[in-house]
Amino acid sequence: MRSSVRTIQLIFLTLVITPTFFGLATYYLFTIGYQPSGDTEDILMYLPATSLLFSVPLGNFLYKKSLAPVTPQMPLKSKLMRYQIAVILRAALIELAALLASVVCYMSGNILLLLVIPICWVLFYLYRPSLSAMETDLLLSPAEVKELKNS
């Protein structure tokens, strides 16, 4: 079971790392003199922040909806599979906002858009898959918690 928890945490970590590296690459391009075409629409400037504002509540809704069928009687493996899906859904929506910030920054040249990425880091930290979050959200029994800790 411990490998399932590590898998969930590894998937989550990759969802954090991808926009981070893309944002760093975009920033690096501007430091070496990249000049964007500047042909972007003004509405694109609002897309990263707007997507972040919508993705957090939508991600939380989908997270809760994915975990709604979980009952204390379910086997631990089934609970962990549902949890993995829920975590990926919520994190992917946050990742979308961070990636959009990098893309729009790259297209427009407005480097301030990259500030969305640290905001996403905070959200990733708050929503990280931890044992205590699993215990609460999956309605784990003390025996299941012990199994996750020991295996």
Side-chain angles (χ1 to χ4, degrees), residues 94-136:
I94 297 170
E95 180 191 32
L96 172 69
L99 289 174
L100 275 174
S102 294
V103 169
V104 174
C105 172
Y106 179 78
M107 292 170 52
S108 68
N110 186 352
I111 204 153
L112 287 176
L113 292 171
L114 291 179
L115 290 176
V116 170
I117 295 173
I119 294 169
C120 291
W121 289 339
V122 171
L123 292 169
F124 280 128
Y125 179 77
L126 293 174
Y127 296 139
R128 71 191 181 280
S130 64
L131 199 55
S132 61
M134 287 181 206
E135 183 178 355
T136 305

mmCIF file of all heavy atoms in Angstrom, residues 94-136:
data_model
loop_
_atom_site.group_PDB
_atom_site.id
_atom_site.type_symbol
_atom_site.label_atom_id
_atom_site.label_comp_id
_atom_site.label_asym_id
_atom_site.label_seq_id
_atom_site.Cartn_x
_atom_site.Cartn_y
_atom_site.Cartn_z
ATOM 1 N N ILE A 94 -5.005 23.237 -11.456
ATOM 2 C CA ILE A 94 -4.083 24.271 -10.979
ATOM 3 C C ILE A 94 -2.890 24.364 -11.928
ATOM 4 O O ILE A 94 -2.423 25.455 -12.264
ATOM 5 C CB ILE A 94 -3.630 23.978 -9.538
ATOM 6 C CG1 ILE A 94 -4.831 24.027 -8.592
ATOM 7 C CG2 ILE A 94 -2.560 24.968 -9.090
ATOM 8 C CD1 ILE A 94 -4.544 23.518 -7.203
ATOM 9 N N GLU A 95 -2.414 23.211 -12.387
ATOM 10 C CA GLU A 95 -1.300 23.188 -13.332
ATOM 11 C C GLU A 95 -1.671 23.921 -14.625
ATOM 12 O O GLU A 95 -0.843 24.621 -15.211
ATOM 13 C CB GLU A 95 -0.910 21.749 -13.646
ATOM 14 C CG GLU A 95 0.244 21.639 -14.616
ATOM 15 C CD GLU A 95 0.453 20.238 -15.134
ATOM 16 O OE1 GLU A 95 -0.522 19.487 -15.270
ATOM 17 O OE2 GLU A 95 1.614 19.904 -15.433
ATOM 18 N N LEU A 96 -2.901 23.780 -15.045
ATOM 19 C CA LEU A 96 -3.370 24.457 -16.258
ATOM 20 C C LEU A 96 -3.178 25.965 -16.147
ATOM 21 O O LEU A 96 -2.699 26.606 -17.086
ATOM 22 C CB LEU A 96 -4.836 24.117 -16.513
ATOM 23 C CG LEU A 96 -5.517 24.893 -17.637
ATOM 24 C CD1 LEU A 96 -4.953 24.471 -18.983
ATOM 25 C CD2 LEU A 96 -7.012 24.682 -17.585
ATOM 26 N N ALA A 97 -3.540 26.532 -15.018
ATOM 27 C CA ALA A 97 -3.388 27.975 -14.831
ATOM 28 C C ALA A 97 -1.923 28.390 -14.897
ATOM 29 O O ALA A 97 -1.579 29.417 -15.504
ATOM 30 C CB ALA A 97 -4.007 28.396 -13.507
ATOM 31 N N ALA A 98 -1.043 27.601 -14.293
ATOM 32 C CA ALA A 98 0.382 27.919 -14.312
ATOM 33 C C ALA A 98 0.956 27.812 -15.721
ATOM 34 O O ALA A 98 1.759 28.651 -16.147
ATOM 35 C CB ALA A 98 1.134 27.004 -13.357
ATOM 36 N N LEU A 99 0.555 26.782 -16.450
ATOM 37 C CA LEU A 99 1.029 26.630 -17.828
ATOM 38 C C LEU A 99 0.501 27.748 -18.725
ATOM 39 O O LEU A 99 1.229 28.261 -19.578
ATOM 40 C CB LEU A 99 0.631 25.261 -18.376
ATOM 41 C CG LEU A 99 1.376 24.072 -17.787
ATOM 42 C CD1 LEU A 99 0.780 22.765 -18.301
ATOM 43 C CD2 LEU A 99 2.853 24.143 -18.107
ATOM 44 N N LEU A 100 -0.751 28.121 -18.512
ATOM 45 C CA LEU A 100 -1.306 29.237 -19.286
ATOM 46 C C LEU A 100 -0.537 30.529 -19.015
ATOM 47 O O LEU A 100 -0.313 31.317 -19.931
ATOM 48 C CB LEU A 100 -2.783 29.432 -18.951
ATOM 49 C CG LEU A 100 -3.773 28.580 -19.715
ATOM 50 C CD1 LEU A 100 -5.175 28.783 -19.168
ATOM 51 C CD2 LEU A 100 -3.737 28.891 -21.188
ATOM 52 N N ALA A 101 -0.138 30.733 -17.782
ATOM 53 C CA ALA A 101 0.636 31.930 -17.451
ATOM 54 C C ALA A 101 1.945 31.957 -18.227
ATOM 55 O O ALA A 101 2.338 32.992 -18.773
ATOM 56 C CB ALA A 101 0.908 31.974 -15.947
ATOM 57 N N SER A 102 2.615 30.815 -18.301
ATOM 58 C CA SER A 102 3.879 30.756 -19.047
ATOM 59 C C SER A 102 3.670 30.982 -20.536
ATOM 60 O O SER A 102 4.431 31.706 -21.176
ATOM 61 C CB SER A 102 4.551 29.401 -18.827
ATOM 62 O OG SER A 102 4.940 29.262 -17.506
ATOM 63 N N VAL A 103 2.641 30.376 -21.090
ATOM 64 C CA VAL A 103 2.371 30.514 -22.526
ATOM 65 C C VAL A 103 2.009 31.948 -22.884
ATOM 66 O O VAL A 103 2.549 32.513 -23.838
ATOM 67 C CB VAL A 103 1.252 29.538 -22.966
ATOM 68 C CG1 VAL A 103 0.768 29.835 -24.363
ATOM 69 C CG2 VAL A 103 1.733 28.108 -22.858
ATOM 70 N N VAL A 104 1.128 32.549 -22.114
ATOM 71 C CA VAL A 104 0.722 33.928 -22.410
ATOM 72 C C VAL A 104 1.889 34.885 -22.172
ATOM 73 O O VAL A 104 2.079 35.837 -22.927
ATOM 74 C CB VAL A 104 -0.523 34.322 -21.585
ATOM 75 C CG1 VAL A 104 -0.862 35.786 -21.780
ATOM 76 C CG2 VAL A 104 -1.712 33.452 -21.975
ATOM 77 N N CYS A 105 2.707 34.619 -21.169
ATOM 78 C CA CYS A 105 3.902 35.431 -20.946
ATOM 79 C C CYS A 105 4.837 35.328 -22.143
ATOM 80 O O CYS A 105 5.362 36.327 -22.621
ATOM 81 C CB CYS A 105 4.599 34.975 -19.672
ATOM 82 S SG CYS A 105 6.197 35.751 -19.400
ATOM 83 N N TYR A 106 5.031 34.114 -22.630
ATOM 84 C CA TYR A 106 5.894 33.890 -23.785
ATOM 85 C C TYR A 106 5.368 34.627 -25.019
ATOM 86 O O TYR A 106 6.133 35.225 -25.775
ATOM 87 C CB TYR A 106 5.994 32.398 -24.067
ATOM 88 C CG TYR A 106 6.837 32.049 -25.260
ATOM 89 C CD1 TYR A 106 8.227 32.052 -25.173
ATOM 90 C CD2 TYR A 106 6.251 31.717 -26.468
ATOM 91 C CE1 TYR A 106 9.004 31.735 -26.267
ATOM 92 C CE2 TYR A 106 7.025 31.391 -27.568
ATOM 93 C CZ TYR A 106 8.402 31.407 -27.466
ATOM 94 O OH TYR A 106 9.164 31.092 -28.554
ATOM 95 N N MET A 107 4.058 34.597 -25.205
ATOM 96 C CA MET A 107 3.461 35.233 -26.380
ATOM 97 C C MET A 107 3.431 36.751 -26.278
ATOM 98 O O MET A 107 3.637 37.451 -27.273
ATOM 99 C CB MET A 107 2.039 34.710 -26.590
ATOM 100 C CG MET A 107 1.981 33.266 -27.000
ATOM 101 S SD MET A 107 0.311 32.564 -26.964
ATOM 102 C CE MET A 107 -0.621 33.708 -27.927
ATOM 103 N N SER A 108 3.169 37.264 -25.072
ATOM 104 C CA SER A 108 2.949 38.701 -24.927
ATOM 105 C C SER A 108 4.189 39.472 -24.482
ATOM 106 O O SER A 108 4.290 40.665 -24.741
ATOM 107 C CB SER A 108 1.835 38.948 -23.908
ATOM 108 O OG SER A 108 2.260 38.566 -22.613
ATOM 109 N N GLY A 109 5.066 38.804 -23.762
ATOM 110 C CA GLY A 109 6.232 39.503 -23.237
ATOM 111 C C GLY A 109 5.990 40.120 -21.869
ATOM 112 O O GLY A 109 6.869 40.773 -21.313
ATOM 113 N N ASN A 110 4.810 39.913 -21.311
ATOM 114 C CA ASN A 110 4.495 40.447 -19.988
ATOM 115 C C ASN A 110 4.960 39.456 -18.928
ATOM 116 O O ASN A 110 4.272 38.494 -18.608
ATOM 117 C CB ASN A 110 2.992 40.713 -19.869
ATOM 118 C CG ASN A 110 2.627 41.400 -18.581
ATOM 119 O OD1 ASN A 110 3.450 41.565 -17.690
ATOM 120 N ND2 ASN A 110 1.376 41.820 -18.495
ATOM 121 N N ILE A 111 6.128 39.724 -18.392
ATOM 122 C CA ILE A 111 6.751 38.791 -17.455
ATOM 123 C C ILE A 111 6.032 38.741 -16.106
ATOM 124 O O ILE A 111 6.199 37.795 -15.339
ATOM 125 C CB ILE A 111 8.245 39.118 -17.299
ATOM 126 C CG1 ILE A 111 9.000 37.888 -16.858
ATOM 127 C CG2 ILE A 111 8.463 40.272 -16.367
ATOM 128 C CD1 ILE A 111 10.428 37.873 -17.270
ATOM 129 N N LEU A 112 5.198 39.714 -15.817
ATOM 130 C CA LEU A 112 4.437 39.710 -14.566
ATOM 131 C C LEU A 112 3.449 38.542 -14.495
ATOM 132 O O LEU A 112 3.062 38.127 -13.409
ATOM 133 C CB LEU A 112 3.683 41.022 -14.389
ATOM 134 C CG LEU A 112 4.536 42.227 -14.032
ATOM 135 C CD1 LEU A 112 3.698 43.488 -13.982
ATOM 136 C CD2 LEU A 112 5.246 42.006 -12.712
ATOM 137 N N LEU A 113 3.089 38.021 -15.639
ATOM 138 C CA LEU A 113 2.168 36.883 -15.653
ATOM 139 C C LEU A 113 2.773 35.652 -14.990
ATOM 140 O O LEU A 113 2.046 34.772 -14.528
ATOM 141 C CB LEU A 113 1.759 36.551 -17.089
ATOM 142 C CG LEU A 113 0.880 37.599 -17.768
ATOM 143 C CD1 LEU A 113 0.729 37.276 -19.239
ATOM 144 C CD2 LEU A 113 -0.459 37.683 -17.093
ATOM 145 N N LEU A 114 4.096 35.607 -14.926
ATOM 146 C CA LEU A 114 4.753 34.464 -14.282
ATOM 147 C C LEU A 114 4.521 34.447 -12.774
ATOM 148 O O LEU A 114 4.812 33.448 -12.120
ATOM 149 C CB LEU A 114 6.250 34.466 -14.582
ATOM 150 C CG LEU A 114 6.629 34.168 -16.027
ATOM 151 C CD1 LEU A 114 8.144 34.221 -16.197
ATOM 152 C CD2 LEU A 114 6.090 32.828 -16.479
ATOM 153 N N LEU A 115 3.955 35.511 -12.211
ATOM 154 C CA LEU A 115 3.639 35.530 -10.781
ATOM 155 C C LEU A 115 2.500 34.563 -10.441
ATOM 156 O O LEU A 115 2.313 34.231 -9.274
ATOM 157 C CB LEU A 115 3.278 36.942 -10.336
ATOM 158 C CG LEU A 115 4.435 37.938 -10.312
ATOM 159 C CD1 LEU A 115 3.940 39.324 -9.949
ATOM 160 C CD2 LEU A 115 5.515 37.487 -9.355
ATOM 161 N N VAL A 116 1.788 34.122 -11.445
ATOM 162 C CA VAL A 116 0.740 33.128 -11.209
ATOM 163 C C VAL A 116 1.365 31.806 -10.735
ATOM 164 O O VAL A 116 0.765 31.091 -9.933
ATOM 165 C CB VAL A 116 -0.105 32.923 -12.491
ATOM 166 C CG1 VAL A 116 -1.043 31.741 -12.371
ATOM 167 C CG2 VAL A 116 -0.902 34.192 -12.804
ATOM 168 N N ILE A 117 2.563 31.506 -11.196
ATOM 169 C CA ILE A 117 3.204 30.234 -10.849
ATOM 170 C C ILE A 117 3.479 30.122 -9.341
ATOM 171 O O ILE A 117 3.133 29.099 -8.745
ATOM 172 C CB ILE A 117 4.467 30.006 -11.704
ATOM 173 C CG1 ILE A 117 4.056 29.858 -13.176
ATOM 174 C CG2 ILE A 117 5.228 28.768 -11.239
ATOM 175 C CD1 ILE A 117 5.204 29.802 -14.146
ATOM 176 N N PRO A 118 4.050 31.129 -8.677
ATOM 177 C CA PRO A 118 4.209 30.997 -7.222
ATOM 178 C C PRO A 118 2.871 30.881 -6.480
ATOM 179 O O PRO A 118 2.792 30.200 -5.458
ATOM 180 C CB PRO A 118 4.953 32.272 -6.815
ATOM 181 C CG PRO A 118 5.643 32.724 -8.038
ATOM 182 C CD PRO A 118 4.774 32.300 -9.180
ATOM 183 N N ILE A 119 1.843 31.520 -6.988
ATOM 184 C CA ILE A 119 0.514 31.361 -6.380
ATOM 185 C C ILE A 119 0.075 29.903 -6.506
ATOM 186 O O ILE A 119 -0.473 29.328 -5.563
ATOM 187 C CB ILE A 119 -0.503 32.315 -7.039
ATOM 188 C CG1 ILE A 119 -0.142 33.762 -6.742
ATOM 189 C CG2 ILE A 119 -1.926 32.002 -6.573
ATOM 190 C CD1 ILE A 119 -0.908 34.784 -7.546
ATOM 191 N N CYS A 120 0.357 29.310 -7.644
ATOM 192 C CA CYS A 120 0.028 27.892 -7.844
ATOM 193 C C CYS A 120 0.846 27.009 -6.915
ATOM 194 O O CYS A 120 0.347 25.991 -6.430
ATOM 195 C CB CYS A 120 0.236 27.495 -9.299
ATOM 196 S SG CYS A 120 -0.965 28.235 -10.412
ATOM 197 N N TRP A 121 2.097 27.385 -6.639
ATOM 198 C CA TRP A 121 2.916 26.616 -5.699
ATOM 199 C C TRP A 121 2.255 26.578 -4.325
ATOM 200 O O TRP A 121 2.258 25.544 -3.665
ATOM 201 C CB TRP A 121 4.305 27.214 -5.553
ATOM 202 C CG TRP A 121 5.213 27.067 -6.721
ATOM 203 C CD1 TRP A 121 5.124 26.164 -7.740
ATOM 204 C CD2 TRP A 121 6.365 27.851 -6.995
ATOM 205 N NE1 TRP A 121 6.147 26.349 -8.626
ATOM 206 C CE2 TRP A 121 6.927 27.376 -8.198
ATOM 207 C CE3 TRP A 121 6.972 28.925 -6.340
ATOM 208 C CZ2 TRP A 121 8.072 27.923 -8.742
ATOM 209 C CZ3 TRP A 121 8.100 29.467 -6.893
ATOM 210 C CH2 TRP A 121 8.652 28.971 -8.085
ATOM 211 N N VAL A 122 1.736 27.724 -3.901
ATOM 212 C CA VAL A 122 1.056 27.782 -2.603
ATOM 213 C C VAL A 122 -0.150 26.847 -2.609
ATOM 214 O O VAL A 122 -0.374 26.093 -1.658
ATOM 215 C CB VAL A 122 0.635 29.230 -2.262
ATOM 216 C CG1 VAL A 122 -0.263 29.283 -1.042
ATOM 217 C CG2 VAL A 122 1.858 30.115 -2.074
ATOM 218 N N LEU A 123 -0.907 26.875 -3.696
ATOM 219 C CA LEU A 123 -2.068 25.983 -3.798
ATOM 220 C C LEU A 123 -1.637 24.525 -3.829
ATOM 221 O O LEU A 123 -2.264 23.673 -3.187
ATOM 222 C CB LEU A 123 -2.886 26.320 -5.039
ATOM 223 C CG LEU A 123 -3.603 27.670 -4.988
ATOM 224 C CD1 LEU A 123 -4.156 28.035 -6.350
ATOM 225 C CD2 LEU A 123 -4.702 27.644 -3.947
ATOM 226 N N PHE A 124 -0.586 24.223 -4.559
ATOM 227 C CA PHE A 124 -0.066 22.857 -4.580
ATOM 228 C C PHE A 124 0.338 22.420 -3.174
ATOM 229 O O PHE A 124 0.093 21.289 -2.766
ATOM 230 C CB PHE A 124 1.135 22.725 -5.519
ATOM 231 C CG PHE A 124 0.785 22.590 -6.970
ATOM 232 C CD1 PHE A 124 1.359 23.417 -7.914
ATOM 233 C CD2 PHE A 124 -0.099 21.622 -7.406
ATOM 234 C CE1 PHE A 124 1.059 23.286 -9.257
ATOM 235 C CE2 PHE A 124 -0.407 21.469 -8.745
ATOM 236 C CZ PHE A 124 0.176 22.307 -9.668
ATOM 237 N N TYR A 125 0.959 23.310 -2.432
ATOM 238 C CA TYR A 125 1.370 22.972 -1.073
ATOM 239 C C TYR A 125 0.157 22.703 -0.186
ATOM 240 O O TYR A 125 0.144 21.751 0.593
ATOM 241 C CB TYR A 125 2.230 24.094 -0.480
ATOM 242 C CG TYR A 125 2.651 23.813 0.929
ATOM 243 C CD1 TYR A 125 3.680 22.909 1.194
ATOM 244 C CD2 TYR A 125 2.027 24.426 2.002
ATOM 245 C CE1 TYR A 125 4.066 22.628 2.493
ATOM 246 C CE2 TYR A 125 2.405 24.150 3.301
ATOM 247 C CZ TYR A 125 3.428 23.252 3.543
ATOM 248 O OH TYR A 125 3.800 22.977 4.825
ATOM 249 N N LEU A 126 -0.844 23.550 -0.311
ATOM 250 C CA LEU A 126 -2.049 23.378 0.509
ATOM 251 C C LEU A 126 -2.808 22.099 0.167
ATOM 252 O O LEU A 126 -3.434 21.499 1.047
ATOM 253 C CB LEU A 126 -2.975 24.586 0.340
ATOM 254 C CG LEU A 126 -2.450 25.909 0.887
ATOM 255 C CD1 LEU A 126 -3.387 27.053 0.517
ATOM 256 C CD2 LEU A 126 -2.259 25.830 2.392
ATOM 257 N N TYR A 127 -2.774 21.701 -1.088
ATOM 258 C CA TYR A 127 -3.531 20.535 -1.546
ATOM 259 C C TYR A 127 -2.666 19.288 -1.727
ATOM 260 O O TYR A 127 -3.098 18.331 -2.365
ATOM 261 C CB TYR A 127 -4.240 20.844 -2.866
ATOM 262 C CG TYR A 127 -5.283 21.914 -2.751
ATOM 263 C CD1 TYR A 127 -5.417 22.888 -3.735
ATOM 264 C CD2 TYR A 127 -6.155 21.969 -1.677
ATOM 265 C CE1 TYR A 127 -6.388 23.864 -3.653
ATOM 266 C CE2 TYR A 127 -7.117 22.947 -1.581
ATOM 267 C CZ TYR A 127 -7.233 23.893 -2.573
ATOM 268 O OH TYR A 127 -8.190 24.860 -2.486
ATOM 269 N N ARG A 128 -1.467 19.269 -1.171
ATOM 270 C CA ARG A 128 -0.578 18.128 -1.351
ATOM 271 C C ARG A 128 -1.191 16.868 -0.734
ATOM 272 O O ARG A 128 -1.893 16.940 0.269
ATOM 273 C CB ARG A 128 0.789 18.420 -0.756
ATOM 274 C CG ARG A 128 0.804 18.467 0.743
ATOM 275 C CD ARG A 128 2.111 19.032 1.290
ATOM 276 N NE ARG A 128 2.112 19.036 2.726
ATOM 277 C CZ ARG A 128 1.516 19.935 3.494
ATOM 278 N NH1 ARG A 128 0.841 20.920 2.935
ATOM 279 N NH2 ARG A 128 1.587 19.854 4.812
ATOM 280 N N PRO A 129 -0.923 15.727 -1.347
ATOM 281 C CA PRO A 129 -1.467 14.471 -0.811
ATOM 282 C C PRO A 129 -0.628 13.978 0.375
ATOM 283 O O PRO A 129 0.467 13.491 0.204
ATOM 284 C CB PRO A 129 -1.371 13.507 -1.990
ATOM 285 C CG PRO A 129 -0.294 14.054 -2.851
ATOM 286 C CD PRO A 129 -0.268 15.536 -2.631
ATOM 287 N N SER A 130 -1.144 14.155 1.557
ATOM 288 C CA SER A 130 -0.443 13.716 2.761
ATOM 289 C C SER A 130 -1.255 12.616 3.431
ATOM 290 O O SER A 130 -2.431 12.411 3.135
ATOM 291 C CB SER A 130 -0.249 14.885 3.721
ATOM 292 O OG SER A 130 -1.503 15.358 4.167
ATOM 293 N N LEU A 131 -0.616 11.944 4.344
ATOM 294 C CA LEU A 131 -1.279 10.858 5.057
ATOM 295 C C LEU A 131 -2.463 11.378 5.875
ATOM 296 O O LEU A 131 -3.517 10.737 5.931
ATOM 297 C CB LEU A 131 -0.278 10.130 5.953
ATOM 298 C CG LEU A 131 -0.672 8.745 6.413
ATOM 299 C CD1 LEU A 131 -1.019 7.846 5.233
ATOM 300 C CD2 LEU A 131 0.436 8.120 7.225
ATOM 301 N N SER A 132 -2.304 12.549 6.462
ATOM 302 C CA SER A 132 -3.414 13.104 7.257
ATOM 303 C C SER A 132 -4.592 13.501 6.361
ATOM 304 O O SER A 132 -5.755 13.325 6.742
ATOM 305 C CB SER A 132 -2.936 14.297 8.079
ATOM 306 O OG SER A 132 -2.461 15.324 7.246
ATOM 307 N N ALA A 133 -4.295 14.024 5.172
ATOM 308 C CA ALA A 133 -5.375 14.354 4.241
ATOM 309 C C ALA A 133 -6.087 13.092 3.771
ATOM 310 O O ALA A 133 -7.322 13.063 3.652
ATOM 311 C CB ALA A 133 -4.825 15.122 3.047
ATOM 312 N N MET A 134 -5.308 12.052 3.507
ATOM 313 C CA MET A 134 -5.912 10.778 3.099
ATOM 314 C C MET A 134 -6.796 10.219 4.203
ATOM 315 O O MET A 134 -7.887 9.722 3.944
ATOM 316 C CB MET A 134 -4.826 9.760 2.753
ATOM 317 C CG MET A 134 -4.127 10.017 1.477
ATOM 318 S SD MET A 134 -2.908 8.721 1.203
ATOM 319 C CE MET A 134 -1.761 9.588 0.179
ATOM 320 N N GLU A 135 -6.305 10.310 5.419
ATOM 321 C CA GLU A 135 -7.058 9.777 6.558
ATOM 322 C C GLU A 135 -8.415 10.469 6.678
ATOM 323 O O GLU A 135 -9.440 9.812 6.869
ATOM 324 C CB GLU A 135 -6.246 9.984 7.836
ATOM 325 C CG GLU A 135 -6.872 9.414 9.077
ATOM 326 C CD GLU A 135 -5.988 9.613 10.297
ATOM 327 O OE1 GLU A 135 -4.844 10.101 10.173
ATOM 328 O OE2 GLU A 135 -6.455 9.268 11.394
ATOM 329 N N THR A 136 -8.423 11.767 6.516
ATOM 330 C CA THR A 136 -9.663 12.532 6.641
ATOM 331 C C THR A 136 -10.575 12.329 5.440
ATOM 332 O O THR A 136 -11.768 12.045 5.592
ATOM 333 C CB THR A 136 -9.336 14.036 6.777
ATOM 334 O OG1 THR A 136 -8.444 14.216 7.862
ATOM 335 C CG2 THR A 136 -10.598 14.842 6.989
#
